[in-house]
């Protein structure tokens, strides 16, 4: 049965994928969220995509995910978009989280393919999306394409073709994969019918140049959002050399965090270094030691990070 695809506002600018704050004992800690939200607003973010990979969403209980969502919706100023990642290995749980997101006033919802069972066909993925999106039929739904996390290396053009007219509130894709070509082809589908949110901070500039990207969702935006926004600003002003400098610098920061187990672990510790302690990561993540923190601080100092990073 074909449905009319709903029309939603397309996101312009950068959406942040925030970390989930924890107490030292591993319990969630919603207390820093208002300050966290204010920091992101002050550094140019247009919203948040919560409870995703950066937020350790699959390691939270459903009640914890709901509490985090409620705290972000409450903290968000007018116009600041709160998109709730509701993906789960249990589709019924995802649908309930979608319903809850709508109930509390979230702007939108999204979900990646589950890590188990592995989805091997587009039709299976469409059924998963269709079932979850129906839990919040008035909210825009974004598919979070991050195959490195779940093995769902599926063609996204085919996904757009299959959801088009079948999932009325399908808004677009958060595209976190290396194929700028496929990203651009998705962006061009039916003259840009769906919202294609770029999801790799290390390649914002090529997505602007080739893909005409308007919006994106990032993880290093938590602490390096000023630089990432500067890429877009320089590009919009015709300053290609400036855009290149900021993109190359963003990659230098990513090079540092890759020395310390990536954004989820090292990035969360960087938040502490810039003044917002969000606590440890949950098991089974290997938290950074104090010695690693000092070594990372030295690497960041060497590239003048603390003068260019987000400010509280």
């Amino acid at each position: 049965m074909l449905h009319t695809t709903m029309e939603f506002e397309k996101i312009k600018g950068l959406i942040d994928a925030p970390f989930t704050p924890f107490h030292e004992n591993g319990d969630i800690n919603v207390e820093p969220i208002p300050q966290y939200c204010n920091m992101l607003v002050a550094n140019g973010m247009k919203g948040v995509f919560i409870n995703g990979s950066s937020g350790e969403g699959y390691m939270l209980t459903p009640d914890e995910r709901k509490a985090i969502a409620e705290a972000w919706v409450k903290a968000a100023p007018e116009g600041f978009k709160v998109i709730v990642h509701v993906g789960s290995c249990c589709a019924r749980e995802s649908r309930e989280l979608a319903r809850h997101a709508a109930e509390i006033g979230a702007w939108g919802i999204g979900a990646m393919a589950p890590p188990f069972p592995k989805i091997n066909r587009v039709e299976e993925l469409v059924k998963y999306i269709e079932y979850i999106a129906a839990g919040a039929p008035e909210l825009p739904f974004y598919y979070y394409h991050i195959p490195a996390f779940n093995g769902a290396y599926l063609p996204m053009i085919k996904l757009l073709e299959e959801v088009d007219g079948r999932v009325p509130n399908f808004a677009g894709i958060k595209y976190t994969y290396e194929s700028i070509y496929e990203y651009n082809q998705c962006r061009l589908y039916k003259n840009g019918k769906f919202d294609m949110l770029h999801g790799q901070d290390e390649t914002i500039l090529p997505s602007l140049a080739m893909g005409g990207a308007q919006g994106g969702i990032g993880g290093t935006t938590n602490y390096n959002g000023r630089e990432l926004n500067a890429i877009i600003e320089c590009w919009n002003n015709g300053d290609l050399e400036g855009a290149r400098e900021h993109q190359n610098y963003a990659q230098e920061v990513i090079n540092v965090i890759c020395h310390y187990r990536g954004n989820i672990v090292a990035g969360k510790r960087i938040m502490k270094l810039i003044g917002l302690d969000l606590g440890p990561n949950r098991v089974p993540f290997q938290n950074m030691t104090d010695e690693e923190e000092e070594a990372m601080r030295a690497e960041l100092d060497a590239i003048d990070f603390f003068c260019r990073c987000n400010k509280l």
Side-chain angles (χ1 to χ4, degrees):
M1 180 178 178
L2 291 178
H3 302 276
T4 301
T5 302
M6 300 167 69
E7 291 189 13
F8 297 106
E9 171 192 351
K10 289 189 176 179
I11 292 171
K12 291 181 170 57
L14 295 178
I15 302 290
D16 180 69
F19 305 107
T20 294
F22 294 118
H23 291 290
E24 285 301 317
N25 68 355
D27 291 344
I28 62 168
N29 177 17
V30 299
E31 186 177 342
I33 288 176
Q35 184 184 15
Y36 198 170
C37 186
N38 290 340
M39 184 203 75
L40 294 174
V41 171
N43 288 277
M45 298 299 106
K46 305 303 181 184
V48 285
F49 185 61
I50 65 169
N51 293 341
S53 49
S54 295
E56 303 174 67
Y58 275 89
M59 299 154 79
L60 304 175
T61 68
D63 285 345
E64 288 174 330
R65 293 172 75 165
K66 288 180 178 181
I68 293 292
E70 289 166 9
W72 275 104
V73 169
K74 184 178 179 180
E78 185 176 355
F80 189 78
K81 296 175 172 62
V82 178
I83 306 171
V84 183
H85 176 261
V86 299
S88 167
C89 292
C90 174
R92 289 190 174 192
E93 179 181 300
S94 294
R95 186 157 168 163
E96 167 57 21
L97 291 170
R99 183 206 63 77
H100 175 263
E103 179 182 77
I104 65 174
W107 185 85
I109 57 171
M112 67 176 81
F116 178 85
K118 183 178 177 181
I119 290 181
N120 294 305
R121 298 187 305 129
V122 169
E123 175 61 19
E124 295 165 356
L125 181 56
V126 173
K127 287 180 179 178
Y128 179 74
I129 289 170
E130 185 176 34
Y131 182 81
I132 296 169
E138 302 302 318
L139 296 188
F141 176 94
Y142 286 88
Y143 173 61
Y144 181 5
H145 182 50
I146 184 166
F149 275 28
N150 48 36
Y153 290 93
L154 297 170
M156 288 297 99
I157 285 288
K158 184 66 174 175
L159 176 66
L160 294 182
E161 291 171 350
E162 294 298 319
V163 297
D164 193 358
R166 177 169 167 180
V167 183
N169 56 328
F170 187 91
I173 299 174
K174 178 192 175 186
Y175 191 92
T176 308
Y177 188 51
E178 288 75 19
S179 178
I180 298 294
Y181 164 70
E182 185 186 51
Y183 170 80
N184 193 46
Q185 290 298 297
C186 289
R187 189 189 65 82
L188 294 172
Y189 175 80
K190 290 193 176 179
N191 295 314
K193 179 174 183 177
F194 292 108
D195 198 8
M196 290 299 300
L197 300 176
H198 183 260
Q200 287 195 312
D201 299 344
E202 57 268 42
T203 56
I204 288 177
L205 181 54
S207 77
L208 291 169
M210 181 180 176
Q214 297 293 310
I217 301 178
T220 67
T221 46
N222 280 288
Y223 42 87
N224 205 36
R226 293 169 65 202
E227 289 294 313
L228 299 172
N229 272 320
I231 299 168
I232 299 170
E233 184 177 353
C234 286
W235 174 260
N236 289 340
N237 291 334
D239 179 7
L240 180 57
E241 286 306 312
R244 283 173 175 161
E245 194 280 330
H246 290 292
Q247 180 69 85
N248 290 339
Y249 182 77
Q251 290 192 359
E252 285 192 72
V253 174
I254 290 168
N255 289 342
V256 172
I257 65 172
C258 285
H259 297 159
Y260 303 95
R261 298 182 289 285
N263 181 60
I264 300 173
V265 174
K268 195 171 192 180
R269 189 64 67 97
I270 289 175
M271 299 303 289
K272 175 187 172 186
L273 297 180
I274 66 175
L276 189 63
D277 190 346
L278 302 175
N281 298 101
R282 274 199 170 165
V283 174
F285 281 112
Q286 181 186 353
N287 281 280
M288 289 181 66
T289 65
D290 292 341
E291 291 76 16
E292 286 176 319
E293 179 183 311
E294 286 308 307
M296 183 174 69
R297 183 198 293 271
E299 289 191 44
L300 293 170
D301 269 328
I303 60 172
D304 203 28
F305 170 77
F306 296 103
C307 292
R308 300 179 65 159
C309 67
N310 287 353
K311 310 299 180 186
L312 282 178

PDB file of all heavy atoms in Angstrom, residues 165-186:
ATOM      1  N   GLY A 165       7.048   6.365  -0.416  1.00  0.00           N
ATOM      2  CA  GLY A 165       5.641   6.046  -0.572  1.00  0.00           C
ATOM      3  C   GLY A 165       5.156   4.923   0.317  1.00  0.00           C
ATOM      4  O   GLY A 165       3.966   4.601   0.325  1.00  0.00           O
ATOM      5  N   ARG A 166       6.065   4.318   1.068  1.00  0.00           N
ATOM      6  CA  ARG A 166       5.686   3.208   1.966  1.00  0.00           C
ATOM      7  C   ARG A 166       5.778   3.610   3.428  1.00  0.00           C
ATOM      8  O   ARG A 166       4.957   3.172   4.244  1.00  0.00           O
ATOM      9  CB  ARG A 166       6.587   2.004   1.697  1.00  0.00           C
ATOM     10  CG  ARG A 166       6.341   0.816   2.604  1.00  0.00           C
ATOM     11  CD  ARG A 166       7.059  -0.411   2.111  1.00  0.00           C
ATOM     12  NE  ARG A 166       7.092  -1.466   3.121  1.00  0.00           N
ATOM     13  CZ  ARG A 166       7.660  -2.653   2.940  1.00  0.00           C
ATOM     14  NH1 ARG A 166       8.204  -2.950   1.772  1.00  0.00           N
ATOM     15  NH2 ARG A 166       7.663  -3.557   3.925  1.00  0.00           N
ATOM     16  N   VAL A 167       6.770   4.410   3.784  1.00  0.00           N
ATOM     17  CA  VAL A 167       6.921   4.912   5.156  1.00  0.00           C
ATOM     18  C   VAL A 167       6.686   6.417   5.105  1.00  0.00           C
ATOM     19  O   VAL A 167       7.587   7.181   4.758  1.00  0.00           O
ATOM     20  CB  VAL A 167       8.327   4.594   5.713  1.00  0.00           C
ATOM     21  CG1 VAL A 167       8.432   5.061   7.165  1.00  0.00           C
ATOM     22  CG2 VAL A 167       8.624   3.099   5.609  1.00  0.00           C
ATOM     23  N   PRO A 168       5.474   6.865   5.424  1.00  0.00           N
ATOM     24  CA  PRO A 168       5.120   8.271   5.197  1.00  0.00           C
ATOM     25  C   PRO A 168       6.010   9.273   5.908  1.00  0.00           C
ATOM     26  O   PRO A 168       6.249  10.370   5.387  1.00  0.00           O
ATOM     27  CB  PRO A 168       3.674   8.354   5.725  1.00  0.00           C
ATOM     28  CG  PRO A 168       3.171   6.960   5.721  1.00  0.00           C
ATOM     29  CD  PRO A 168       4.352   6.083   5.966  1.00  0.00           C
ATOM     30  N   ASN A 169       6.498   8.928   7.104  1.00  0.00           N
ATOM     31  CA  ASN A 169       7.289   9.898   7.876  1.00  0.00           C
ATOM     32  C   ASN A 169       8.788   9.670   7.740  1.00  0.00           C
ATOM     33  O   ASN A 169       9.572  10.168   8.539  1.00  0.00           O
ATOM     34  CB  ASN A 169       6.885   9.893   9.351  1.00  0.00           C
ATOM     35  CG  ASN A 169       6.986   8.531  10.022  1.00  0.00           C
ATOM     36  OD1 ASN A 169       6.780   7.497   9.385  1.00  0.00           O
ATOM     37  ND2 ASN A 169       7.282   8.530  11.320  1.00  0.00           N
ATOM     38  N   PHE A 170       9.208   8.924   6.712  1.00  0.00           N
ATOM     39  CA  PHE A 170      10.645   8.770   6.450  1.00  0.00           C
ATOM     40  C   PHE A 170      11.173  10.097   5.912  1.00  0.00           C
ATOM     41  O   PHE A 170      10.758  10.568   4.862  1.00  0.00           O
ATOM     42  CB  PHE A 170      10.887   7.646   5.447  1.00  0.00           C
ATOM     43  CG  PHE A 170      12.346   7.318   5.257  1.00  0.00           C
ATOM     44  CD1 PHE A 170      12.957   6.347   6.030  1.00  0.00           C
ATOM     45  CD2 PHE A 170      13.113   8.000   4.317  1.00  0.00           C
ATOM     46  CE1 PHE A 170      14.307   6.041   5.864  1.00  0.00           C
ATOM     47  CE2 PHE A 170      14.462   7.707   4.139  1.00  0.00           C
ATOM     48  CZ  PHE A 170      15.056   6.726   4.919  1.00  0.00           C
ATOM     49  N   ALA A 171      12.122  10.695   6.662  1.00  0.00           N
ATOM     50  CA  ALA A 171      12.618  12.020   6.297  1.00  0.00           C
ATOM     51  C   ALA A 171      13.942  11.984   5.558  1.00  0.00           C
ATOM     52  O   ALA A 171      14.238  12.878   4.755  1.00  0.00           O
ATOM     53  CB  ALA A 171      12.759  12.882   7.557  1.00  0.00           C
ATOM     54  N   GLY A 172      14.782  10.980   5.852  1.00  0.00           N
ATOM     55  CA  GLY A 172      16.085  10.941   5.210  1.00  0.00           C
ATOM     56  C   GLY A 172      17.039  10.008   5.915  1.00  0.00           C
ATOM     57  O   GLY A 172      16.633   9.131   6.681  1.00  0.00           O
ATOM     58  N   ILE A 173      18.322  10.231   5.663  1.00  0.00           N
ATOM     59  CA  ILE A 173      19.369   9.338   6.163  1.00  0.00           C
ATOM     60  C   ILE A 173      20.459  10.147   6.843  1.00  0.00           C
ATOM     61  O   ILE A 173      20.894  11.179   6.326  1.00  0.00           O
ATOM     62  CB  ILE A 173      19.996   8.524   5.017  1.00  0.00           C
ATOM     63  CG1 ILE A 173      18.938   7.638   4.342  1.00  0.00           C
ATOM     64  CG2 ILE A 173      21.171   7.675   5.519  1.00  0.00           C
ATOM     65  CD1 ILE A 173      19.451   6.916   3.097  1.00  0.00           C
ATOM     66  N   LYS A 174      20.879   9.689   8.020  1.00  0.00           N
ATOM     67  CA  LYS A 174      22.148  10.136   8.586  1.00  0.00           C
ATOM     68  C   LYS A 174      23.196   9.207   8.001  1.00  0.00           C
ATOM     69  O   LYS A 174      23.284   8.026   8.363  1.00  0.00           O
ATOM     70  CB  LYS A 174      22.153  10.056  10.117  1.00  0.00           C
ATOM     71  CG  LYS A 174      23.516  10.470  10.704  1.00  0.00           C
ATOM     72  CD  LYS A 174      23.672  10.129  12.168  1.00  0.00           C
ATOM     73  CE  LYS A 174      25.098  10.459  12.608  1.00  0.00           C
ATOM     74  NZ  LYS A 174      25.401  10.048  13.982  1.00  0.00           N
ATOM     75  N   TYR A 175      24.020   9.743   7.102  1.00  0.00           N
ATOM     76  CA  TYR A 175      24.896   8.918   6.281  1.00  0.00           C
ATOM     77  C   TYR A 175      26.310   8.938   6.836  1.00  0.00           C
ATOM     78  O   TYR A 175      27.062   9.892   6.636  1.00  0.00           O
ATOM     79  CB  TYR A 175      24.869   9.423   4.831  1.00  0.00           C
ATOM     80  CG  TYR A 175      25.538   8.502   3.838  1.00  0.00           C
ATOM     81  CD1 TYR A 175      24.800   7.534   3.164  1.00  0.00           C
ATOM     82  CD2 TYR A 175      26.906   8.597   3.577  1.00  0.00           C
ATOM     83  CE1 TYR A 175      25.407   6.681   2.249  1.00  0.00           C
ATOM     84  CE2 TYR A 175      27.515   7.746   2.669  1.00  0.00           C
ATOM     85  CZ  TYR A 175      26.768   6.797   2.004  1.00  0.00           C
ATOM     86  OH  TYR A 175      27.360   5.951   1.103  1.00  0.00           O
ATOM     87  N   THR A 176      26.667   7.877   7.554  1.00  0.00           N
ATOM     88  CA  THR A 176      27.991   7.775   8.166  1.00  0.00           C
ATOM     89  C   THR A 176      28.745   6.623   7.508  1.00  0.00           C
ATOM     90  O   THR A 176      28.860   5.517   8.053  1.00  0.00           O
ATOM     91  CB  THR A 176      27.869   7.579   9.692  1.00  0.00           C
ATOM     92  OG1 THR A 176      27.019   8.596  10.232  1.00  0.00           O
ATOM     93  CG2 THR A 176      29.227   7.679  10.367  1.00  0.00           C
ATOM     94  N   TYR A 177      29.215   6.897   6.323  1.00  0.00           N
ATOM     95  CA  TYR A 177      29.938   5.901   5.538  1.00  0.00           C
ATOM     96  C   TYR A 177      30.864   6.636   4.576  1.00  0.00           C
ATOM     97  O   TYR A 177      30.699   7.841   4.343  1.00  0.00           O
ATOM     98  CB  TYR A 177      28.947   4.997   4.790  1.00  0.00           C
ATOM     99  CG  TYR A 177      29.569   3.816   4.096  1.00  0.00           C
ATOM    100  CD1 TYR A 177      30.437   2.957   4.760  1.00  0.00           C
ATOM    101  CD2 TYR A 177      29.277   3.558   2.752  1.00  0.00           C
ATOM    102  CE1 TYR A 177      30.998   1.875   4.121  1.00  0.00           C
ATOM    103  CE2 TYR A 177      29.824   2.472   2.103  1.00  0.00           C
ATOM    104  CZ  TYR A 177      30.690   1.634   2.786  1.00  0.00           C
ATOM    105  OH  TYR A 177      31.258   0.558   2.145  1.00  0.00           O
ATOM    106  N   GLU A 178      31.830   5.927   3.999  1.00  0.00           N
ATOM    107  CA  GLU A 178      32.903   6.571   3.243  1.00  0.00           C
ATOM    108  C   GLU A 178      32.556   6.907   1.804  1.00  0.00           C
ATOM    109  O   GLU A 178      33.328   7.595   1.137  1.00  0.00           O
ATOM    110  CB  GLU A 178      34.165   5.679   3.253  1.00  0.00           C
ATOM    111  CG  GLU A 178      34.895   5.628   4.580  1.00  0.00           C
ATOM    112  CD  GLU A 178      34.195   4.777   5.631  1.00  0.00           C
ATOM    113  OE1 GLU A 178      33.353   3.934   5.256  1.00  0.00           O
ATOM    114  OE2 GLU A 178      34.477   4.981   6.821  1.00  0.00           O
ATOM    115  N   SER A 179      31.433   6.438   1.274  1.00  0.00           N
ATOM    116  CA  SER A 179      31.148   6.626  -0.149  1.00  0.00           C
ATOM    117  C   SER A 179      30.490   7.977  -0.412  1.00  0.00           C
ATOM    118  O   SER A 179      29.263   8.122  -0.335  1.00  0.00           O
ATOM    119  CB  SER A 179      30.254   5.503  -0.680  1.00  0.00           C
ATOM    120  OG  SER A 179      29.959   5.718  -2.045  1.00  0.00           O
ATOM    121  N   ILE A 180      31.309   8.967  -0.728  1.00  0.00           N
ATOM    122  CA  ILE A 180      30.767  10.284  -1.097  1.00  0.00           C
ATOM    123  C   ILE A 180      29.922  10.164  -2.365  1.00  0.00           C
ATOM    124  O   ILE A 180      28.937  10.878  -2.542  1.00  0.00           O
ATOM    125  CB  ILE A 180      31.908  11.302  -1.287  1.00  0.00           C
ATOM    126  CG1 ILE A 180      32.689  11.488   0.016  1.00  0.00           C
ATOM    127  CG2 ILE A 180      31.371  12.651  -1.745  1.00  0.00           C
ATOM    128  CD1 ILE A 180      31.908  12.111   1.131  1.00  0.00           C
ATOM    129  N   TYR A 181      30.303   9.232  -3.241  1.00  0.00           N
ATOM    130  CA  TYR A 181      29.524   9.006  -4.461  1.00  0.00           C
ATOM    131  C   TYR A 181      28.097   8.581  -4.120  1.00  0.00           C
ATOM    132  O   TYR A 181      27.120   9.159  -4.606  1.00  0.00           O
ATOM    133  CB  TYR A 181      30.204   7.938  -5.328  1.00  0.00           C
ATOM    134  CG  TYR A 181      29.305   7.362  -6.399  1.00  0.00           C
ATOM    135  CD1 TYR A 181      28.910   8.133  -7.497  1.00  0.00           C
ATOM    136  CD2 TYR A 181      28.834   6.049  -6.308  1.00  0.00           C
ATOM    137  CE1 TYR A 181      28.073   7.608  -8.472  1.00  0.00           C
ATOM    138  CE2 TYR A 181      28.006   5.519  -7.278  1.00  0.00           C
ATOM    139  CZ  TYR A 181      27.630   6.295  -8.366  1.00  0.00           C
ATOM    140  OH  TYR A 181      26.795   5.770  -9.328  1.00  0.00           O
ATOM    141  N   GLU A 182      27.950   7.549  -3.278  1.00  0.00           N
ATOM    142  CA  GLU A 182      26.605   7.092  -2.931  1.00  0.00           C
ATOM    143  C   GLU A 182      25.842   8.170  -2.181  1.00  0.00           C
ATOM    144  O   GLU A 182      24.643   8.370  -2.412  1.00  0.00           O
ATOM    145  CB  GLU A 182      26.674   5.812  -2.096  1.00  0.00           C
ATOM    146  CG  GLU A 182      25.278   5.242  -1.811  1.00  0.00           C
ATOM    147  CD  GLU A 182      25.291   4.055  -0.870  1.00  0.00           C
ATOM    148  OE1 GLU A 182      25.906   4.151   0.219  1.00  0.00           O
ATOM    149  OE2 GLU A 182      24.669   3.034  -1.202  1.00  0.00           O
ATOM    150  N   TYR A 183      26.540   8.867  -1.288  1.00  0.00           N
ATOM    151  CA  TYR A 183      25.890   9.968  -0.567  1.00  0.00           C
ATOM    152  C   TYR A 183      25.289  10.964  -1.553  1.00  0.00           C
ATOM    153  O   TYR A 183      24.137  11.396  -1.407  1.00  0.00           O
ATOM    154  CB  TYR A 183      26.907  10.668   0.348  1.00  0.00           C
ATOM    155  CG  TYR A 183      26.390  11.963   0.938  1.00  0.00           C
ATOM    156  CD1 TYR A 183      25.553  11.958   2.042  1.00  0.00           C
ATOM    157  CD2 TYR A 183      26.709  13.189   0.359  1.00  0.00           C
ATOM    158  CE1 TYR A 183      25.048  13.133   2.566  1.00  0.00           C
ATOM    159  CE2 TYR A 183      26.209  14.370   0.868  1.00  0.00           C
ATOM    160  CZ  TYR A 183      25.389  14.347   1.976  1.00  0.00           C
ATOM    161  OH  TYR A 183      24.884  15.507   2.474  1.00  0.00           O
ATOM    162  N   ASN A 184      26.063  11.331  -2.565  1.00  0.00           N
ATOM    163  CA  ASN A 184      25.590  12.308  -3.538  1.00  0.00           C
ATOM    164  C   ASN A 184      24.433  11.758  -4.357  1.00  0.00           C
ATOM    165  O   ASN A 184      23.463  12.475  -4.647  1.00  0.00           O
ATOM    166  CB  ASN A 184      26.739  12.724  -4.456  1.00  0.00           C
ATOM    167  CG  ASN A 184      26.395  13.957  -5.274  1.00  0.00           C
ATOM    168  OD1 ASN A 184      25.875  14.922  -4.740  1.00  0.00           O
ATOM    169  ND2 ASN A 184      26.699  13.921  -6.567  1.00  0.00           N
ATOM    170  N   GLN A 185      24.496  10.485  -4.732  1.00  0.00           N
ATOM    171  CA  GLN A 185      23.405   9.896  -5.487  1.00  0.00           C
ATOM    172  C   GLN A 185      22.106   9.887  -4.666  1.00  0.00           C
ATOM    173  O   GLN A 185      21.028  10.127  -5.196  1.00  0.00           O
ATOM    174  CB  GLN A 185      23.776   8.472  -5.918  1.00  0.00           C
ATOM    175  CG  GLN A 185      24.861   8.418  -6.986  1.00  0.00           C
ATOM    176  CD  GLN A 185      24.443   9.102  -8.269  1.00  0.00           C
ATOM    177  OE1 GLN A 185      23.489   8.676  -8.935  1.00  0.00           O
ATOM    178  NE2 GLN A 185      25.129  10.169  -8.632  1.00  0.00           N
ATOM    179  N   CYS A 186      22.233   9.632  -3.386  1.00  0.00           N
ATOM    180  CA  CYS A 186      21.058   9.690  -2.507  1.00  0.00           C
ATOM    181  C   CYS A 186      20.526  11.120  -2.419  1.00  0.00           C
ATOM    182  O   CYS A 186      19.305  11.346  -2.413  1.00  0.00           O
ATOM    183  CB  CYS A 186      21.409   9.182  -1.115  1.00  0.00           C
ATOM    184  SG  CYS A 186      21.709   7.405  -1.001  1.00  0.00           S
TER     185      CYS A 186
END
